[in-house]
Amino acid sequence: MGYNIVITGVGGQGVLVASQIIANAAMKNDMNVRVGETHGMAQRGGSVIAHVRFGTDVFGSMTPEGEGDVLLAFEPAEALRYLNYMRQGSYAVFNEHPAVPVSVTMGSATYPSLEDIKSALGRHLHAWSIDATALAVRAGNQIATNTVLIGAFARVAKDAGIPLSRDVLLEAVKERVPERYHELNTKAFELGYEAIV
């Protein structure tokens, strides 16, 4: 038995940190864990994807196409880019706050509307969109956006039958951030969890 989590976004959003937190939570549950990641031009806002695979029968580090259980997207268009990794009827949470590429601002490309993204994901997945960036600001700092999304993941994991509890995931978050940021990250986590209804 194995579980496949696909995490995506653009460089600088905390995708790789989130993958490490989820992997550490799975290790706390004594599961075998494999993590794989692919960076575009990460430092320049390029596409980033990370795979966290865990369970009893997990061998490779990359999720095979069509076998993802949860898609966690830090950027809406990136959720569409990696839809091919997901099983029909699996789960997704994505941040509504776009990181619009330079090609769009220069007019050489178009960015899909939020409604089009929601519609495309909704045809294949149980999908939730939240403004994780706004929730992080509400918690105290935009830097906690990735923690908001991990909180949302904790809620969706429960529906998806993924054996990572809210408490274990929050503990993994706290282990990753300095103690002076525990209050901020706990609030961000809880706001993300509560945003999934």
Side-chain angles (χ1 to χ4, degrees), residues 3-20:
Y3 305 93
N4 299 310
I5 314 303
V6 177
I7 309 169
T8 185
V10 298
Q13 289 187 309
V15 169
L16 304 181
V17 171
S19 70
Q20 292 161 4

Side-chain angles (χ1 to χ4, degrees), residues 64-79:
E65 287 197 20
E67 292 189 22
D69 295 300
V70 178
L71 173 64
L72 186 61
F74 286 45
E75 202 283 334
E78 294 299 312

Side-chain angles (χ1 to χ4, degrees), residues 112-168:
S113 73
L114 189 58
E115 288 310 311
D116 286 346
I117 293 170
K118 287 180 181 179
S119 176
L121 292 175
R123 284 194 295 272
H124 301 280
L125 311 173
H126 301 288
W128 289 267
S129 65
I130 63 173
D131 192 338
T133 306
L135 290 173
V137 170
R138 191 168 135 204
N141 195 318
Q142 182 175 332
I143 201 165
T145 298
N146 60 351
T147 303
V148 172
L149 285 161
I150 292 168
F153 167 76
R155 178 64 186 87
V156 170
K158 187 175 169 184
D159 287 348
I162 293 171
L164 291 180
S165 74
R166 171 183 183 157
D167 290 346
V168 168

